[in-house]
Amino acid sequence: MSTKSLPEAPETIVTDEHRVACDGGNGPLGHPIVWYEMGDDEMVECGYCDRRFVLEGGRYDPNSPGI
């Protein structure tokens, strides 16, 4: 699957970690902290706010020169 076929995310966060946490980013207006593990997928989306976390240099990284 290429990044071009992914639906738009409200926010994409590029990270070098496979394990990420999301709280919605809005302080008290956010959501409970949830942890996600990317595994081999190089990407995970938050089940609460649809934030997308992508692995730096991975196939979903919007800053990767291969895209």
Side-chain angles (χ1 to χ4, degrees), residues 4-25:
K4 304 243 187 260
S5 65
L6 289 175
E8 239 356 87
E11 182 178 14
T12 299
I13 298 173
V14 179
T15 179
D16 61 354
E17 300 289 329
H18 281 267
R19 187 165 190 245
V20 295
C22 186
D23 64 2

Side-chain angles (χ1 to χ4, degrees), residues 17-50:
E17 300 289 329
H18 281 267
R19 187 165 190 245
V20 295
C22 186
D23 64 2
N26 296 324
L29 299 177
H31 58 70
I33 295 175
V34 288
W35 289 88
Y36 295 100
E37 176 65 46
M38 287 185 210
D40 294 331
D41 294 332
E42 299 180 352
M43 178 199 61
V44 68
E45 292 183 350
C46 177
Y48 282 98
C49 66
D50 295 328

